[in-house]
Amino acid sequence: MKLTKLWLLVPVLLSLTACGTSKSQSSDSKSAKKLTDVSIVLDYVPNTNHTGLYVAKDKGYFKAAGLNVKIIEPGDNATSIGMVGANKAQFGVSYQEDVTYAHADGKNIPVKAIGTVIKHNTSGFVSLKSSGITSPKDFAGKTYAGWQTPSEEAVLKAVMSKDHVNPKSLKIVGATGDGPKSLGKKNDLQWWFQGWDVIRAKDDGIKVNYMPLRQLDKRLDYYTPVIITNNTQLKQNSKLVQAFMSATKKGYQDVIAHPKADAKILHKYAKDYDLSFLEESQAFLSANYTDDAANWGKMDAKVWNNYTGFMKEYGLIKKAIPADTLYTNQYVGK
């Protein structure tokens, strides 16, 4: 009799358990729905400039801030400036130069930099060690391979003119895409990032001379890359911007403290690169993101004004743009 009654209770118990499970799942579902979907468009394929973003996503910093963040690689016909400016993405990774162009000469694409990934410009010109090309004084009669953009040509003109060398004596051609392997063969000079291409060349046994841009002309110590958003987010979703940047800052501070471990996180999203290479690159970037982890992301009006002045001097823009139109530190100060 007792056994029968117990068996009669089983369906009820199962029903209650299922009901409890259903309520739990419903609660979890509601909790998941509380996350706000946002996206950030990269400037390029995943690399060590972006590690803090992937760490913030992988370690749950974005989730803890109430965000479900989608990290998007740019397409052939879609730039971060264009997508963020059109509010097709809330955030993007771009460059000081492009943010300035976005506001130049009546364009007024509504974007603003809200944090710099790296405090200083870590790019420069390179030549083979054996070439004897160690400064712009040696550029005359040589061949430079690059992107063939007006700003690139302006930089070359500036550094050569400063060393009293005729810029027209340098032949400029389009990059072949071979990177370090074409240096000294199809061209004599290229423009590399120290934390990426210079390390890659070293790993390939290619010895180079590296000429940092910020040492060639102080105005060229501009911010590259930067994180951007648009005016719609700044006006209507200021709390969301703050949540995103606080979590992002935490991600980059994590990478500063744990470069080797966090390079492994990036490797999950950048599998085309050897882990050992990413670890080398990350060691460099983690030491160069900022001088002080507490101040990661902060920018200086002088840097913006210096490069804006450079762009105006060399005809890249017609009118100077106030720095406060281009950037804000409001969201990296906390």
Side-chain angles (χ1 to χ4, degrees):
M1 186 68 179
K2 290 180 181 179
L3 186 61
T4 303
K5 287 183 178 180
L6 284 171
W7 278 108
L8 288 171
L9 285 171
V10 168
V12 178
L13 292 170
L14 289 173
S15 176
L16 288 171
T17 302
C19 182
T21 302
S22 176
K23 286 181 179 179
S24 176
Q25 289 175 342
S26 175
S27 176
D28 290 344
S29 177
K30 287 180 180 178
S31 177
K33 287 180 181 178
K34 288 180 181 177
L35 295 179
T36 302
D37 291 335
V38 298
S39 57
I40 179 166
V41 185
L42 301 182
D43 55 324
Y44 196 59
V45 296
N47 60 65
T48 43
N49 282 343
H50 311 133
T51 311
L53 294 168
Y54 286 104
V55 168
K57 183 177 178 69
D58 207 74
K59 292 194 173 183
Y61 301 153
F62 285 136
K63 188 174 181 180
L67 305 174
N68 177 39
V69 177
K70 184 178 182 181
I71 302 174
I72 303 170
E73 294 181 35
D76 292 336
N77 299 310
T79 64
S80 58
I81 284 280
M83 291 186 69
V84 174
N87 204 30
K88 291 181 180 178
Q90 290 77 25
F91 303 97
V93 179
S94 187
Y95 317 100
Q96 179 175 338
E97 172 190 352
D98 285 358
V99 174
T100 305
Y101 276 133
H103 292 272
D105 308 328
K107 288 178 186 172
N108 197 29
I109 300 172
V111 296
K112 201 166 195 175
I114 51 176
T116 182
V117 173
I118 310 173
K119 185 172 183 178
H120 294 288
N121 185 347
T122 58
S123 69
F125 296 118
V126 292
S127 64
L128 282 183
K129 197 79 174 177
S130 59
S131 70
I133 304 171
T134 59
S135 77
K137 291 179 181 179
D138 307 314
F139 288 8
K142 302 299 188 296
T143 299
Y144 167 85
W147 313 286
Q148 294 182 299
T149 62
S151 56
E152 183 184 23
E153 291 184 24
V155 168
L156 286 163
K157 182 178 180 181
V159 299
M160 291 180 71
S161 297
K162 186 178 178 182
D163 274 3
H164 308 291
V165 179
N166 185 353
K168 292 182 179 179
S169 64
L170 177 69
K171 182 180 180 181
I172 300 175
V173 300
T176 61
D178 297 334
K181 293 180 181 178
S182 67
L183 190 63
K185 298 173 183 177
K186 299 177 181 178
N187 51 76
D188 307 294
L189 292 158
Q190 294 179 22
W191 186 340
W192 291 359
F193 282 89
Q194 189 176 0
W196 193 258
D197 295 308
V198 173
I199 292 173
R200 189 169 58 161
K202 179 183 71 67
D203 289 349
D204 288 340
I206 301 171
K207 296 180 180 181
V208 300
N209 297 311
Y210 175 67
M211 298 159 264
L213 284 188
R214 62 188 176 120
Q215 291 182 13
L216 300 179
D217 188 323
K218 290 181 179 179
R219 296 173 299 177
L220 300 179
D221 191 13
Y222 51 82
Y223 297 121
T224 176
V226 294
I227 296 174
I228 61 171
T229 191
N230 57 55
N231 290 349
T232 298
Q233 303 305 318
L234 293 173
K235 291 176 182 177
Q236 299 179 9
N237 299 310
S238 182
K239 289 184 179 178
L240 182 146
V241 176
Q242 184 63 72
F244 177 83
M245 286 305 293
S246 293
T248 296
K249 182 173 182 175
K250 189 173 181 181
Y252 278 97
Q253 288 174 327
D254 195 302
V255 187
I256 290 168
H258 311 289
K260 189 169 185 178
D262 288 348
K264 291 182 174 66
I265 292 176
L266 176 65
H267 190 239
K268 292 192 292 186
Y269 304 91
K271 293 180 180 177
D272 289 344
Y273 302 103
D274 291 337
L275 177 58
S276 59
F277 164 68
L278 292 179
E279 288 175 343
E280 283 186 271
S281 177
Q282 193 59 66
F284 174 86
L285 264 299
S286 289
N288 284 277
Y289 284 139
T290 179
D291 299 334
D292 178 6
N295 288 321
W296 176 88
K298 287 190 177 180
M299 297 169 281
D300 190 329
K302 184 178 180 180
V303 175
W304 284 89
N305 289 330
N306 280 347
Y307 192 60
T308 297
F310 173 88
M311 293 177 76
K312 184 174 181 294
E313 179 182 341
Y314 284 88
L316 299 173
I317 58 176
K318 294 177 182 177
K319 291 179 65 177
I321 303 155
D324 60 4
T325 300
L326 304 174
Y327 88 100
T328 176
N329 282 327
Q330 178 179 345
Y331 302 97
V332 290
K334 297 180 181 180

